[in-house]
Every structure is written in structure tokens, then in C-alpha cells.
Amino acid sequence: VVARHPMLRARYSDASGVPRRTVVDAATHPSAFALDGGGDAMANAVAAARRPFDLEREAPIRFTLVPETEGSALFLMTAHHI
């Protein structure tokens, strides 16, 4: 999905008060992350969802796997609305 939609690979910056969008190459875009399995899965998912976006350095969408039990995980998609 991220490879087909450049907006999901965009970075946003402010150049002297003028917003600027830069699209990174799909091959170099990290789009999925896995968290360590320590602690409560739901609390870890909530913490991951509440993590602020740094739109100058990361895309406006994140995909995260939060380990729940042996062999299962929560899939979390977090998106920034620009």
C-alpha cells in the first residue's frame, strides 16, 4: 500500500514559513515496527498509538505489531491527519 501511495511516504518541513513536502523512495521507507513483548499488550498498543509524529523525519502512517501472547499479536495502524 505504501509503495503505491506517495502521500504515505511523505515528509513535511517548514522552509522559512513555507510548507514543503518531500516523498521518499518506497524501497527505503520503514513502514512496520515490532515492539518487544514485555508488559501488557493493550498498554503497549495505547502507548504506541499516542506516540507523537515527527513529520520532518517520519511518514504520516505507522504499522506496529504488539506481541500479545505466544503466536499472537495486535496489529496497530496509526495515521496522522494533515
Side-chain angles (χ1 to χ4, degrees), residues 6-68:
M7 292 299 295
L8 299 179
R9 298 187 317 269
R11 307 294 186 271
Y12 298 89
S13 60
D14 180 350
S16 301
V18 178
R20 166 173 257 154
R21 181 185 73 186
T22 305
V23 177
V24 299
D25 183 47
T28 61
H29 171 71
S31 58
F33 306 95
L35 298 178
D36 291 333
D40 177 50
M42 189 57 68
N44 289 338
V46 169
R50 289 183 174 164
R51 194 179 104 222
F53 282 88
D54 180 354
L55 296 178
E56 287 190 33
R57 292 178 179 78
E58 64 179 308
I61 192 165
R62 284 189 212 116
F63 304 100
T64 309
L65 286 176
V66 182
E68 193 171 29

